Amino acid sequence: GEGGGGGEESAAEWSARVTVLAGPEGLRVHSCKLARSPFAAPEEVDSPLGAFAVGQRVEVMQEDEGYEGAWFVAEVLELQKEAVRVMYPAFAAEEGSDAKLEDTVQLRRLRPMPPPPAPAFSGSLSAGAPLEMLFEDGWWQAVLTASETAEDGKAVLVVQTVYHNQTHRIAPGEVRPCLLWHWRCDRWERAWTLGALDTHYAMLLDDEDRRVHGMDVREKKALELQARRAAKQEEVEGKRRLKEEEKEARRRAKEAEERARREAREAAEEARPSGGSRLKERLRW
């Protein structure tokens, strides 16, 4: 676009990365981010860290075996560069202890408390719909397999967990939609398919990779430049030393050659007989 003062920037210095998700309502833009070309001046990489504060209640996605994909409520204790220190109210630090479990988790595993589901959410579900069920103080990813009526006439939802393939029969009030938090615009969107969950998680990993490597890119480039300069300096110094050694070798060889010629001349002069000696030799004969 047209801008005011300052230097002009070429359109080639910028690129756009647009991610689109497919759902029942058609295509939706998941995220759109402008980025400078690698040949343009680097700029700071944005981060969701600003969405959190010490003392805030959040949800943390679990990745440990047996808890994969489950969300548990936690309280933020400390904000770090790419990680957050949290405390889990539902877990004790040790068995029989009143102290609560604390942990340091990657920033990509954090999200604010999601909005509550609509009152008619459970009644709108159909078989195969992804959802989250409340189980053991956490929200676990699952898929609806059937709706039943219990003996007391109450509705029961039959669900199967995504990561562990376990079947549970739960009350309609113990489910909520699978929501995706778009941290760049602080917006929530429902995941209509399990594929949307996988895609969103992959993008969180990609965002983390870009942030981590973006934080180190300047230092990495500086170290690479320093290493290239040191290698070049070593190469120049090596050539200089080689030339000096070759020059010194030629000087010594020349000195040795001159010394050998001088010694040969002196030896020849010593071996030559003097004039008086030759005259006596003749008279004797």
Side-chain angles (χ1 to χ4, degrees):
E2 299 178 357
E8 295 183 355
E9 293 180 332
S10 169
E13 293 183 352
W14 293 88
S15 63
R17 185 165 66 98
V18 181
T19 305
V20 179
L21 299 180
E25 300 179 0
L27 297 178
R28 297 183 180 183
V29 175
H30 177 276
S31 63
C32 178
K33 182 180 180 182
L34 287 174
R36 283 185 181 272
S37 162
F39 302 102
E43 47 182 26
E44 296 297 327
V45 180
D46 51 351
S47 167
L49 188 63
F52 305 105
V54 174
Q56 179 180 352
R57 293 179 72 244
V58 296
E59 286 191 344
V60 181
M61 182 179 62
Q62 306 303 305
E63 295 179 338
D64 294 338
E65 183 177 0
Y67 292 85
E68 299 95 328
W71 293 93
F72 283 86
V73 175
E75 179 182 336
V76 176
L77 300 179
E78 179 186 1
L79 299 175
Q80 303 173 8
K81 193 172 185 179
E82 191 58 35
V84 177
R85 187 76 179 171
V86 299
M87 180 269 293
Y88 294 98
F91 297 100
E94 296 179 358
E95 186 174 356
S97 172
D98 293 334
K100 299 302 181 181
L101 177 65
E102 297 183 7
D103 192 15
T104 301
V105 299
Q106 298 92 334
L107 190 56
R108 60 177 165 78
R109 295 170 51 192
L110 225 64
R111 71 179 185 183
M113 297 296 295
F121 165 70
S122 60
S124 65
L125 293 172
S126 57
L131 52 83
E132 293 176 359
M133 69 164 189
L134 181 61
F135 179 71
E136 294 183 346
D137 298 309
W139 291 93
W140 304 70
Q141 295 179 7
V143 173
L144 179 68
T145 59
S147 298
E148 299 177 349
T149 302
E151 295 180 355
D152 58 2
K154 295 182 179 179
V156 175
L157 301 180
V158 183
V159 302
Q160 186 175 23
T161 57
V162 173
Y163 288 95
H164 312 100
N165 294 322
Q166 296 178 348
T167 300
H168 295 259
R169 286 173 168 77
I170 55 179
E174 296 177 332
V175 297
R176 69 181 187 183
C178 290
L179 295 179
L180 310 176
W181 179 53
H182 305 296
W183 57 268
R184 286 190 175 89
C185 55
D186 192 17
R187 180 172 59 87
W188 294 89
E189 181 181 14
R190 180 177 173 182
W192 296 92
T193 65
L194 294 178
L197 293 173
D198 294 337
T199 301
H200 186 73
Y201 183 66
M203 285 187 291
L204 292 177
L205 290 173
D206 181 66
D207 286 340
E208 180 183 68
D209 183 68
R210 290 173 182 272
R211 287 195 304 272
V212 171
H213 288 84
M215 292 172 185
D216 300 333
V217 65
R218 295 180 182 177
E219 181 180 358
K220 182 179 179 181
K221 288 183 178 180
L223 291 176
E224 291 176 351
L225 179 59
Q226 183 179 359
R228 288 196 299 269
R229 288 177 175 173
K232 184 65 176 178
Q233 183 65 27
E234 181 64 25
E235 180 183 358
V236 172
E237 186 65 20
K239 290 181 178 180
R240 185 188 63 79
R241 289 195 300 266
L242 180 60
K243 287 182 179 180
E244 290 181 352
E245 292 173 357
E246 292 176 347
K247 183 179 180 180
E248 179 66 16
R250 289 194 298 268
R251 185 187 65 79
R252 292 180 179 179
K254 186 176 181 180
E255 288 181 352
E257 184 180 353
E258 292 177 352
R259 184 169 56 250
R261 285 198 298 265
R262 185 172 59 251
E263 292 174 352
R265 286 194 302 268
E266 292 176 353
E269 289 177 357
E270 291 178 357
R272 183 184 305 167
S274 63
S277 298
R278 288 197 297 273
L279 179 59
K280 292 180 180 178
E281 189 71 23
R282 288 178 183 176
L283 291 176
R284 189 175 63 181
W285 284 101

